[in-house]
Amino acid sequence: MISENPEVSIRLVDLKSFDDRIFQHSVSVCILAVVLGKSLKQPLKNLEDLALGALLHDLGMMLLPPPIRKNQGKLTLAEMNLFKTHPREGFNLLGRFANISAQAKAFVLQHHERYNGSGYPKELSGIDIHLGARIGGLVDAYDDLVSDHPHRSRLLPHQALAVIKEGTGRLFDPDVAAHFLRIVSPYPIGSRLLLSSGEEVSVIRVAAGFLASPIVQVVSDAKGLKPDRTVLIDLASDPRFRIEKVLG
Ligand SMILES: [Fe+2]
């Protein structure tokens, strides 16, 4: 896909050297968008457009002054208005490249549009927003929530998923959001949990269909003691245990 688009390679290398954080974010959005697109049974061509749109979606940020681009605090209204120009600036930057699809360009232009019309730059709503941008807008918002920023710490996945859930049907396409909530685990592998029975555990496996009830390994028992053997608990099949708190 990228090899067919030399302009894309150049823009991505530009972005990597320009702002590594935006580059990393774009790669994360690309992976999430393709996984979500596959869950929505999108054909291969649409998945390619999703990937391309995701990699390039914040390209317009390169034209913003660094304090606004890096978003190091609360922006003034004038600064926020400038920040909001980045989807259109990115779209304009790509406009002259005929071999970048209209779908990928729509992703770039519309990734901050929101389902209820509260987004920008055109305040589009519902299915007037291109499906790729409805997918992209959601995964962009999710990755933003779980990423550290200069002015705020990242949310844990279960907290970010709660924000997405709360925005379902309002900010995000309900069908797209429902699929997202079915494929992203609130407690990914490595999460540390406190169980209602007092054990501190670490998530070691998440099975499809049981995202909120992973298989965990006991780190310390209810008395705070480290077990002398490996103790696994399948939260999906053992009703004695429930998650009390997410520790990290
Ligand atoms: Fe953006």
Side-chain angles (χ1 to χ4, degrees):
M1 175 187 71
I2 288 175
S3 63
E4 292 165 12
N5 287 282
E7 298 90 356
V8 175
S9 313
I10 294 165
R11 298 286 93 76
L12 286 173
V13 173
D14 284 353
L15 190 59
K16 166 97 179 117
S17 51
F18 191 75
D19 191 319
D20 200 48
R21 192 176 64 83
I22 295 176
F23 179 81
Q24 296 291 345
H25 165 67
S26 302
V27 173
S28 299
V29 168
C30 176
I31 294 165
L32 287 169
V34 171
V35 171
L36 180 53
K38 278 195 83 158
S39 166
L40 286 156
K41 304 211 172 349
Q42 291 297 295
L44 183 62
K45 173 72 177 78
N46 289 9
L47 297 179
E48 287 178 1
D49 289 334
L50 273 174
L52 198 52
L55 289 172
L56 297 168
H57 77 283
D58 271 342
L59 193 66
M61 293 276 223
M62 291 173 67
L63 301 180
L64 296 178
I68 295 174
R69 172 165 45 85
K70 292 180 188 295
N71 202 352
Q72 283 169 329
K74 203 151 174 58
L75 300 178
T76 66
L77 184 61
E79 288 170 334
M80 182 49 89
N81 286 336
L82 196 53
F83 178 83
K84 287 181 174 180
T85 63
H86 78 269
R88 187 175 291 285
E89 293 291 0
F91 177 78
N92 290 343
L93 278 170
L94 298 174
R96 61 201 161 92
F97 301 124
N99 60 348
I100 295 179
S101 68
Q103 286 78 2
K105 288 174 184 171
F107 185 135
V108 175
L109 180 62
Q110 299 178 4
H111 72 275
H112 284 287
E113 300 288 1
R114 290 295 176 256
Y115 201 65
N116 61 0
S118 64
Y120 56 89
K122 289 184 170 174
E123 299 181 2
L124 298 176
S125 62
I127 59 169
D128 285 345
I129 306 168
H130 190 279
L131 176 61
R134 277 180 271 144
I135 294 170
L138 187 149
V139 298
D140 175 39
Y142 177 78
D143 189 67
D144 197 55
L145 290 167
V146 296
S147 302
D148 275 321
H149 290 265
H151 64 288
R152 67 163 169 82
S153 308
R154 67 193 176 96
L155 297 185
L156 293 169
H158 76 288
Q159 296 168 318
L161 288 171
V163 174
I164 298 294
K165 198 170 182 180
E166 200 275 322
T168 296
R170 187 169 55 85
L171 303 177
F172 309 114
D173 179 321
D175 187 41
V176 172
H179 277 266
F180 187 70
L181 293 167
R182 281 204 288 271
I183 59 170
V184 178
S185 170
Y187 315 114
I189 291 170
S191 298
R192 301 278 277 217
L193 309 173
L194 179 66
L195 302 184
S196 54
S197 43
E199 292 90 348
E200 188 179 323
V201 299
S202 176
V203 175
I204 60 159
R205 204 172 133 221
V206 181
F210 299 96
L211 297 183
S213 305
I215 296 171
V216 298
Q217 180 173 347
V218 175
V219 177
S220 61
D221 65 18
K223 292 179 181 151
L225 301 173
K226 197 171 178 310
D228 52 11
R229 61 188 174 87
T230 301
V231 180
L232 302 181
I233 301 171
D234 183 350
L235 296 178
S237 63
D238 197 332
R240 289 174 301 160
F241 302 99
R242 62 182 172 77
I243 297 166
E244 180 82 16
K245 193 176 172 189
V246 182
L247 303 171

